[in-house]
Amino acid sequence: MNFKSLATSSSREAATMAMIQTTPYKVLSARTRYTFRSTSSVGLFNMTRYSTHSGEDFASSSKRRSRGPVMAAKKAAQGGKQQEDGKYKHTVDLPKTSFGMRANSSTREPELQKMWEDNQVFKRVVSKNTGESFILHDGPPYANGDLHIGHALNKILKDMINRYKLLQNFKVHYVPGWDCHGLPIELKVLQSLDQAARKDLTPIKLRAKAAKFAKQTVKNQMESFKRYGVWADWSNPYLTLDPEYEAAQIEVFGQMVLQGFIYRGRKPVHWSPSSRTALAEAELEYPEGHVSRSIYAAFKIVSAPATSGGFLSEYRDVCLTIWTTTPWTIPANAAVAVNPKLIYAIVEVQSVSEDVSSGKSKQTPANFFKEEHKPFLIVASDLVPTLEAKWGLKLVVRKRLSGSDLENCRYIHPVFNRECSVVIGGDYITTESGTGLVHTAPGHGQEDYVTGLKYGLPILSPVDDGGKFTEEAGKFCGLDVLGDGNVAVVKYLDEHLSLIMEESYKHKYPYDWRTKKPTIFRATEQWFASVEGFREAVMDAIGNVNWIPAKAENRISAMTSSRSDWCISRQRTWGVPIPVFYHLQSKEPLMNEETIEHIKSIISVKGSDAWWYMKVEDLLPSKYRDKASEYEKGTDTMDVWFDSGSSWAAVLGKRDSLNLPADLYLEGMDQHRGWFQSSLLTSVATKGKAPYSSVITHGFVLDEKGFKMSKSQGNVVDPRTVIEGGKNQKDGYGADVLRLWVSSIDYTGDVMIGAQVLRQMSDIYRKLRGTLRYLLGNLHDWHADNAIPYHNLPMIDQHALFQLENFVNNSKECYENYQFFKIFQIIQRFVIVDLSNFYFDIAKDRLYVGGTTSFTRRSCQTVLAELLLSIVRVIAPILPHLAEDVWQNLPFQYTDKKGSVAEFVFESRWPASNETWLSLSEDETGFWTKILELRTEVNKVLEVARSTKLIGSSLDAKVYLHTSDSGLASRLVEMSAASNDADTLNRIFITSQAEVLPSLEDDWIANIPYKGECQVDESIKVWIGVSRAEGLKCERCWNYSPQVGSFPDHSTLCSRCYNAVDIQQAAAEAVVA
């Protein structure tokens, strides 16, 4: 719109409207839908502030209705003192409700939760629902501490989905779970004991303490989840330490054994010296800022095959040049690998720059360069310029040869003086960094291991569980490989003229996610799941799952297609044992269908503790007991990801009313390499299909500046503090404000939260609560028998129902697509903007002073009742406490089509579709769009008139309109003469009078002091004028009317108020009679 007059929008109105992503007069319909932006939380909170203004916040509204019945109603609603003067105040229908404006969440929410629990509402609704089952399988949080804001995001998202499905008549099954085994809990127990207590700690005692700690943590976390308002089968959760769960896990393991997917082998795995155990990929993290000591080293060639072109006879002293970021692995070197597709160069070192020899700019030992006769070096030809610059040397290329020419060359090991071979590696050898030749230690790297198998290389790993060199490492024995051992190896190479250069190298390096310390690759005897054996089936299964967001499919596909075999054994005590026996002499494992089944039957009754306290002869089936003395129990436990990855079998596959696959898994994006993947692998390996139909992933929670939360930074947002208050937050916001935040963010990426964000959420919640309170208060005398049939309703009321039906339908679509942030936007626009700033603002007049039983009041109440019942159910999945609080304060009973009373909001089901309400034509909805635009422009002219003291409130004014558009003009004239008071233009504009002028000749407009022109619908010009209203002011409704003074017994009333008072008096006299 382009308003061309002195009438300009107030700065506050302009600012407010700028906050709203669509204008308040936008019709919410299937034909004219809101445009949603999938913004990140940065856009939501830092770039586009939420609109939180109700109708009274607009200058154009609050000033024009600053006195009279509306203000009296506001005072009454706020508990204020009513006006003492005015003999007609008792005839005004003010709102009445016990529903408070303040949420008092610290008291009220626990009361509502107790009511739900006492009445078993979750189970009650599920049992009454007649639709299909819906199973959201809970990913088990770790039972080792207090909950953080990420837990809250996860559980609230799940609860919103489950509650929506309840309203949609699904039989929702949600069993909460906890991951109870593993190193973190074991470490918590050990940290609580002194040295003396640790010495006396047997495996059984440790397991007992760990179980006690886990169960107490589960209890604490469960209470927190309940306080978030999460509904679940809390009396029957699944714990991975329960005997029946452990037995199901053993069963999954056994099935994979029988299909040949489980094997024992010596191969390099991620090893944590700080935890003294092997780790899975999901147990690693890659913190920023890790710096390694990288080296360039030279290995002297002693022989070359005939296929090499005789370069060794031409250049007698030749060295292979390697680069590594792990110098401590040099003692385990078994080969140097080259890429057969690369071209290599034999280069002569002709000069040494001062920088290198003096070590001024690079940390480079000079011993290699002190020799008068320097060896020729072999490097990738493409890297010669790079290495010249890095080393500060002049490298002159003397000969070029292919990588395949170097195969089977022999060199002297730089530490142990034995001969090793040059081998052909794979595509992992590139010219992106290093030298193009790779130091190969099969005991310390996956790619090295694969190359080693190809050539039959020894798998050397002279490192113990604690990360120290063993005797195999010779003179380095006892040194820490990540500390002084690394330094010693570099020093040795320098002293023996093998070190060319050393430099610091910043890169990503795997750390133990629990101890936060670096890991190493180390070859040990471990149990593995052969992913290669069923990888193709896994990839097919991924393609049959619905991934939300869609890009998640690419993420898990990439991780699964490239992953190595899964190391499932751990060298810890607190876990489910790998059910294997080893022959005392041969060390051969004994594990077959009979032994696994027998152990499973024992564990299903006694739990996995039995493995530690029962004797071998009792753990073996009867068939093997006469040979029990020849065997010992294995001491390895299963990876905790195998624990949780078996939940589909232990929970969905074993419990009544549950089945496979689950409808939905929902966890953080880190679970693509964690629970999503471990569940997928175990399920495909044993069942041939994924355990889930759909998977939703959410991002991580950051502070409101986009930084990772850290206690040291003081930016941690504790969900308990958000709800209950404390620390820097005096009062708690309650669970619903936290849940409202969850609904507001696009969870598919990282999200942000902080004090400012929570204040905005609280303000929006307060506005929404105020809207619901308005509805409750104005329905205090409502009964369904008072309803006006749809086709008899005024057009403004039909239009309101049209908007309501689209609000419900659009909300449903977003719920179905799990797009909660769009629902949040829909609620804001419709409830807080469209209703409060237009419909409610206009409705106050007929609700308060239109007459208790008048048609216009009853028609408005008909709409308000539908609005209340629909809005409260749409918001119920997100704000269950608020919705239930409203429901318990309904001034009337709600019954369904079968006549059953819904005592609780979730018994009421989702609002039924009403096609009649959508039957408004496009012309009609288009006309209301124009009216709403026009109302905004009229308000601007009224504001100008007010600023010059022509009028006080808008009721002091008369509005004049003229347009040359015949279609719009005829409709405006029609509204001016509307048979019902609700549709008249003066009620729409909240002025005392409104007139449509046939022309703009001077005779018509000469005495109109304020006038201007605007455009509506981008092309239709409308002229607007404002003058003082005609007649006298009605004492009861404050409207001006020429009829005031026409009624002798009520000389200060207009005709409408006279009729309303007369009817009330007659009714009162009838009651007395």
Side-chain angles (χ1 to χ4, degrees), residues 790 801 805 809 866 911-919:
Y790 173 81
L801 292 177
E805 186 64 11
N809 290 343
E866 297 294 350
S913 178
N914 193 318
E915 290 300 318
T916 301
W917 294 354
L918 290 176
S919 62

Side-chain angles (χ1 to χ4, degrees), residues 846-921:
R846 52 174 161 152
L847 287 171
Y848 300 158
V849 296
T852 303
T853 60
S854 68
F855 168 80
T856 55
R857 184 167 185 268
R858 290 308 190 199
S859 69
C860 187
Q861 286 184 311
T862 300
V863 175
L864 295 188
E866 297 294 350
L867 286 169
L868 178 61
L869 291 171
S870 293
I871 292 170
V872 76
R873 286 180 283 175
V874 168
I875 68 169
I878 296 170
L879 303 171
H881 303 94
L882 176 58
E884 192 65 78
D885 203 3
V886 170
W887 201 261
Q888 296 307 314
N889 281 279
L890 285 179
F892 52 86
Q893 267 193 344
Y894 174 80
T895 55
D896 60 22
K897 292 181 179 179
K898 297 180 180 179
S900 299
V901 176
E903 294 183 41
F904 307 97
V905 66
F906 283 92
E907 289 184 322
S908 63
R909 305 271 176 85
W910 187 261
S913 178
N914 193 318
E915 290 300 318
T916 301
W917 294 354
L918 290 176
S919 62
L920 285 186
S921 66

Side-chain angles (χ1 to χ4, degrees), residues 689-980:
K689 62 181 181 180
Y692 36 68
S693 298
S694 297
V695 173
I696 295 177
T697 56
H698 60 77
F700 299 108
V701 185
L702 310 173
D703 73 5
E704 58 191 348
K705 294 180 180 178
F707 294 113
K708 183 178 180 181
M709 292 188 189
S710 167
K711 289 183 180 179
S712 62
Q713 296 294 323
N715 62 347
V716 173
V717 177
D718 182 356
R720 180 181 300 172
T721 302
V722 172
I723 294 172
E724 300 175 359
K727 295 183 179 179
N728 297 327
Q729 180 189 311
K730 184 179 178 182
D731 298 318
Y733 288 113
D736 270 2
V737 169
L738 183 63
R739 295 175 67 104
L740 187 62
W741 165 74
V742 172
S743 77
S744 75
I745 45 95
D746 181 359
Y747 61 80
T748 58
D750 289 345
V751 300
M752 291 181 282
I753 190 172
Q756 180 184 355
V757 171
L758 289 169
R759 283 194 295 270
Q760 290 178 343
M761 291 298 107
S762 179
D763 194 35
I764 294 169
Y765 173 86
R766 181 176 59 82
K767 301 292 183 183
L768 181 56
R769 187 177 181 90
T771 297
L772 294 168
R773 187 169 185 267
Y774 174 97
L775 290 167
L776 288 168
N778 284 292
L779 291 168
H780 63 89
D781 61 342
W782 172 253
H783 190 276
D785 294 341
N786 303 141
I788 304 296
Y790 173 81
H791 293 291
N792 293 339
L793 291 174
M795 286 307 301
I796 189 172
D797 292 337
Q798 290 187 12
H799 179 253
L801 292 177
F802 170 81
Q803 288 187 301
L804 172 62
E805 186 64 11
N806 280 288
F807 162 74
V808 172
N809 290 343
N810 290 340
S811 297
K812 179 180 178 181
E813 180 182 342
C814 294
Y815 270 120
E816 291 289 341
N817 293 319
Y818 308 113
Q819 294 173 318
F820 305 112
F821 77 98
K822 291 186 178 181
I823 302 170
F824 172 83
Q825 293 173 358
I826 289 172
I827 292 171
Q828 271 218 102
R829 292 176 188 136
F830 179 64
V831 178
I832 298 176
V833 178
D834 291 337
L835 291 181
S836 292
N837 294 341
F838 176 64
Y839 187 76
F840 291 169
D841 200 27
I842 295 170
K844 290 171 186 175
D845 182 81
R846 52 174 161 152
L847 287 171
Y848 300 158
V849 296
T852 303
T853 60
S854 68
F855 168 80
T856 55
R857 184 167 185 268
R858 290 308 190 199
S859 69
C860 187
Q861 286 184 311
T862 300
V863 175
L864 295 188
E866 297 294 350
L867 286 169
L868 178 61
L869 291 171
S870 293
I871 292 170
V872 76
R873 286 180 283 175
V874 168
I875 68 169
I878 296 170
L879 303 171
H881 303 94
L882 176 58
E884 192 65 78
D885 203 3
V886 170
W887 201 261
Q888 296 307 314
N889 281 279
L890 285 179
F892 52 86
Q893 267 193 344
Y894 174 80
T895 55
D896 60 22
K897 292 181 179 179
K898 297 180 180 179
S900 299
V901 176
E903 294 183 41
F904 307 97
V905 66
F906 283 92
E907 289 184 322
S908 63
R909 305 271 176 85
W910 187 261
S913 178
N914 193 318
E915 290 300 318
T916 301
W917 294 354
L918 290 176
S919 62
L920 285 186
S921 66
E922 279 196 51
D923 288 343
E924 193 64 29
T925 57
F927 171 69
W928 278 99
T929 299
K930 296 183 183 75
I931 286 294
L932 290 165
E933 290 185 53
L934 186 57
R935 183 174 183 263
T936 299
E937 298 305 320
V938 167
N939 287 341
K940 293 177 183 179
V941 185
L942 289 171
E943 186 62 33
V944 174
R946 183 182 298 109
S947 67
T948 58
K949 310 299 182 182
L950 175 71
I951 62 173
S953 77
S954 62
L955 291 176
D956 297 342
K958 178 178 181 178
V959 170
Y960 303 85
L961 302 174
H962 172 76
T963 178
S964 58
D965 184 278
S966 58
L968 179 59
S970 64
R971 287 301 305 270
L972 292 175
V973 170
E974 182 183 325
M975 287 190 72
S976 296
S979 59
N980 69 78

Side-chain angles (χ1 to χ4, degrees), residues 137-138 140 238 245 248-249 251-253 255-256 566 641-655 658-662 665 675-692:
H137 184 41
D138 192 32
Y238 76 86
Y245 188 103
Q249 182 178 332
E251 182 178 345
V252 172
F253 177 83
Q255 290 171 355
M256 293 180 70
W566 177 11
W641 290 109
F642 201 100
D643 287 25
S644 59
S646 302
S647 62
W648 59 266
V651 183
L652 304 181
K654 300 293 183 182
R655 297 202 179 191
L658 300 182
N659 52 66
L660 283 163
Y665 275 35
W675 188 56
F676 294 154
Q677 189 170 153
S678 63
S679 300
L680 181 68
L681 295 177
T682 54
S683 181
V684 171
T686 57
K687 298 294 183 182
K689 62 181 181 180
Y692 36 68

Side-chain angles (χ1 to χ4, degrees), residues 271-274 276 463-469 480-481 520 522:
W271 184 271
S272 172
S274 54
R276 303 178 74 89
V463 182
D464 66 15
D465 292 356
K468 296 184 183 301
F469 280 121
D480 186 343
V481 299
I520 60 175
R522 173 181 177 235

Side-chain angles (χ1 to χ4, degrees), residues 215-448:
K215 289 177 180 178
Q216 183 58 49
T217 303
V218 167
K219 183 178 179 182
N220 296 341
Q221 290 187 0
M222 184 184 292
E223 290 306 309
S224 294
F225 286 138
K226 288 181 179 179
R227 185 62 186 89
Y228 301 162
V230 176
W231 275 357
D233 190 359
W234 295 117
S235 57
N236 297 291
Y238 76 86
L239 310 183
T240 59
L241 55 70
D242 288 338
E244 60 270 23
Y245 188 103
E246 293 176 328
Q249 182 178 332
I250 293 290
E251 182 178 345
V252 172
F253 177 83
Q255 290 171 355
M256 293 180 70
V257 169
L258 296 179
Q259 294 190 53
F261 295 140
I262 303 295
Y263 69 93
R264 183 170 173 80
R266 177 178 168 82
K267 59 190 296 187
V269 295
H270 287 287
W271 184 271
S272 172
S274 54
S275 296
R276 303 178 74 89
T277 187
L279 299 177
E281 277 288 341
E283 297 171 295
L284 302 173
E285 60 184 17
Y286 296 82
E288 297 292 335
H290 177 87
V291 178
S292 293
R293 299 182 67 166
S294 73
I295 63 168
Y296 292 86
F299 298 171
K300 184 177 177 61
I301 296 177
V302 293
S303 66
T307 54
S308 66
F311 72 84
L312 199 55
S313 60
E314 189 176 354
Y315 309 100
R316 293 186 178 277
D317 193 2
V318 182
C319 291
L320 303 165
T321 310
I322 63 93
W323 174 73
T324 180
T325 60
T326 54
W328 62 268
T329 61
I330 293 293
N333 174 268
V336 167
V338 295
N339 188 329
K341 300 174 184 177
L342 292 181
I343 300 299
Y344 291 85
I346 299 176
V347 299
E348 180 183 358
V349 180
Q350 284 197 342
S351 63
V352 180
S353 76
E354 291 184 3
D355 283 345
V356 175
S357 60
S358 63
K360 288 181 181 178
S361 65
K362 294 185 173 66
Q363 185 184 349
T364 308
N367 291 339
F368 176 82
F369 303 103
K370 290 178 182 178
E371 292 296 296
E372 184 177 348
H373 298 290
K374 298 172 185 63
F376 290 88
L377 302 177
I378 296 180
V379 298
S381 181
D382 290 346
L383 286 170
V384 170
T386 302
L387 294 174
E388 274 188 327
K390 183 176 287 290
W391 296 347
L393 302 174
K394 177 63 178 176
L395 303 179
V396 180
V397 177
R398 294 304 184 191
K399 187 179 181 68
R400 287 187 172 86
L401 59 166
S402 69
S404 56
D405 293 335
L406 295 172
E407 185 180 17
N408 296 323
C409 285
R410 306 280 288 176
Y411 66 92
I412 296 294
H413 191 285
V415 175
F416 295 115
N417 205 33
R418 60 175 177 255
E419 287 191 15
C420 302
S421 291
V422 175
V423 298
I424 298 298
D427 292 335
Y428 62 91
I429 304 172
T430 68
T431 56
E432 291 180 5
S433 60
T435 64
L437 297 92
V438 175
H439 143 61
T440 300
H444 293 300
Q446 180 61 32
E447 291 159 335
D448 295 12

